[in-house]
Amino acid sequence: MKSVKGFQFSGIHSGIKKENKDLALIYAPDGASFASVTTTNKFAAPGVHYTRAITKNETLLKAILVNSGNANALTGERGTQDILTLLRTLGEHINVKPTQGLALSTGIIGKFLPVGIMQEAMLKLTQSLTDNPESFATAIMTTDLVPKIVYHQWESEGETFSILGIAKGSGMIQPNMATMFSFILTDATIDSSTLRQMIPDIADKSFNAISVDGDASTNDSFLLLASNKKAQITAKNLADFQTELTNVAIQLAQKIVRDGEGATKFVEVRILCAKTVSEARKMFQAIATSPLVKTAWFGQNPNFGRILCTIGKLDTSLDPEIVDLQLGPHYVVKQGAAVDTPKSLLDTYMQQPDLCITVTLHQGDACFTGWTTDLSYDYVKINAEYN
């Protein structure tokens, strides 16, 4: 696995979980420019509030401590104090102050962190630091089946830049900022202020364009870090650089959807020719969170009426008499009326693991593309038993 200069990684089993890795660290010894976006959930966890405060007041970050198995959410002031305690302990082993670090958590909501266990594991965690991000990616997983890593190199103005993306997420997915956890790291030289201008748009085109089950976590966080080890990003290549970061974010977002809890289908939903992006996004979210639609996908049922019903209930400017709907390459509705497409073709198409649903509104130039899953028996089972 290739790495990004200026960052080190670690992931170990500390005892938060009965088994499997559960404590992870990203370390930037010389500090990194950074930006963040966090969940809009009003019950945001202490780690989210701390991240917001550090992002507001600091320009360099040295460490991101992450644990899985316990969300440190709905833990009040004690949750914040536990973060400070852990960051102070981390600072006894590596050169980082509490104001230079973050402590993020994922897992069961409503339980206090086992701080003593985590403190005891801190020496092992810091001694395990390497350039390889795989242990980190594994240690942040909860119901994920696979770690999610994207590595990309980009050449610009005679310099080769590295971009590394790491994410976790499988259920409780419909972020209103970013996603569960996502970390995108680069060796480019760029200041925190510029990263903070870029990150909302990157999130909107990637992590805000996915849904597994329509729920947004109390802990969702997306961090963008630059170690400043390579050449300066300039006004000349800034837009291209943002595009490269966005493409990595989209790949991570799609990996999350493909690993959706119980998912058997990866579904791209395209809303085309809408009046506004806002309306197009609203329609995507309605389709992507409809139990009727998602269970039809799971059953490989080409019940397109469910798709139109779920967007027809919205308060939008939609004109039903000019809407087209496609299942893959097959038109099933044109100008608001059903097309007599052979059911055998539709049945064959719905058996594929990757589906594409296209709704064309013929009302404007705005569009929105998002990614989602079906809703299976296994999703219900996983979440009925999760505790």
Side-chain angles (χ1 to χ4, degrees):
M1 173 60 66
K2 296 180 180 179
S3 60
V4 176
K5 189 175 182 181
F7 295 104
Q8 298 175 354
F9 309 88
S10 180
I12 63 169
H13 176 249
S14 69
I16 302 171
K17 299 177 184 176
K18 291 182 180 180
E19 56 185 8
N20 298 325
K21 294 176 181 178
D22 54 23
L23 191 61
L25 178 65
I26 296 176
Y27 182 43
D30 298 323
S33 308
F34 74 106
S36 71
V37 284
T38 53
T39 183
T40 59
N41 194 304
K42 290 183 171 57
F43 290 100
V48 168
H49 289 293
Y50 193 78
T51 297
R52 292 171 183 167
I54 296 299
T55 303
K56 180 179 179 180
N57 295 311
E58 303 293 333
T59 57
L60 287 179
L61 195 68
K62 283 194 169 184
I64 304 176
L65 180 69
V66 186
N67 75 271
S68 58
N70 184 317
N72 189 26
L74 301 183
T75 51
E77 180 58 27
R78 175 172 164 180
T80 301
Q81 292 305 313
D82 286 346
I83 286 173
L84 292 171
T85 297
L86 290 169
L87 289 175
R88 291 189 188 105
T89 303
L90 180 65
E92 294 172 5
H93 301 286
I94 58 175
N95 181 25
V96 56
K97 301 175 183 177
T99 54
Q100 298 171 323
L102 303 177
L104 301 174
S105 303
T106 181
I108 299 296
I109 292 172
K111 294 184 178 181
F112 295 117
L113 290 173
V115 173
I117 289 174
M118 297 170 72
Q119 286 180 295
E120 290 177 6
M122 212 68 77
L123 176 61
K124 179 182 177 183
L125 182 70
T126 54
Q127 288 182 337
S128 301
L129 285 164
T130 71
D131 293 337
N132 191 330
E134 290 185 357
S135 62
F136 175 90
T138 302
I140 66 176
M141 292 165 54
T142 50
T143 59
D144 307 59
L145 297 178
V146 295
K148 300 165 182 68
I149 302 174
V150 173
Y151 181 79
H152 176 64
Q153 286 191 318
W154 170 58
E155 293 186 8
S156 178
E157 299 184 353
E159 182 77 89
T160 300
F161 300 94
S162 295
I163 302 172
L164 173 69
I166 308 168
K168 65 83 51 184
S170 182
M172 198 177 277
I173 309 295
Q174 179 156 313
N176 293 310
M177 54 88 231
T179 188
M180 308 21 71
F181 285 155
S182 182
F183 309 94
I184 296 182
L185 320 175
T186 179
D187 50 15
T189 294
I190 187 169
D191 61 84
S192 294
S193 176
T194 305
L195 292 178
R196 291 167 192 177
Q197 292 173 29
M198 297 165 58
I199 197 169
D201 185 67
I202 295 172
D204 275 346
K205 291 176 179 176
S206 57
F207 304 115
N208 284 348
I210 62 173
S211 177
V212 170
D213 48 22
D215 276 301
S217 169
T218 54
N219 294 58
D220 294 349
S221 300
F222 169 31
L223 276 294
L224 179 59
L225 293 85
S227 64
N228 302 306
K229 295 297 183 181
K230 292 286 186 74
Q232 177 79 44
I233 298 297
T234 65
K236 186 176 178 180
N237 62 359
L238 179 61
D240 289 341
F241 179 59
Q242 182 168 335
T243 297
E244 299 297 323
L245 295 174
T246 301
N247 288 339
V248 169
I250 288 172
Q251 290 180 63
L252 285 176
Q254 292 180 348
K255 284 178 178 289
I256 289 170
V257 173
R258 290 189 181 280
D259 195 28
E261 290 176 346
T264 69
K265 303 289 187 185
F266 173 88
V267 187
E268 180 173 282
V269 179
R270 303 188 299 172
I271 310 296
L272 307 181
C273 302
K275 275 192 174 181
T276 66
V277 173
S278 176
E279 285 196 349
R281 180 189 292 272
K282 188 184 295 186
M283 291 180 191
F284 159 74
Q285 291 177 342
I287 294 169
T289 58
S290 167
L292 279 175
V293 172
K294 293 166 80 71
T295 50
W297 292 338
F298 174 63
Q300 303 183 149
N301 181 353
N303 192 331
F304 57 85
R306 293 183 178 185
I307 297 171
L308 295 185
C309 283
T310 200
I311 64 173
K313 70 185 180 185
L314 301 173
D315 181 16
T316 67
S317 59
L318 178 151
D319 180 351
E321 295 185 359
I322 59 173
V323 172
D324 297 341
L325 174 62
Q326 293 168 257
L327 302 183
H330 307 296
Y331 277 93
V332 290
V333 172
K334 272 195 171 185
Q335 298 293 292
V339 176
D340 189 20
T341 304
K343 189 172 183 296
S344 60
L345 289 178
L346 301 180
D347 287 341
T348 299
Y349 179 73
M350 294 302 295
Q351 292 171 15
Q352 299 184 50
D354 286 20
L355 303 176
C356 181
I357 309 300
T358 305
V359 181
T360 307
L361 303 173
H362 297 293
Q363 290 187 305
D365 298 326
C367 62
F368 185 83
T369 297
W371 303 276
T372 188
T373 66
D374 59 347
L375 182 60
S376 71
Y377 304 133
D378 283 344
Y379 176 87
V380 176
K381 188 175 187 293
I382 289 166
N383 285 284
E385 298 175 355
Y386 187 70
N387 58 55

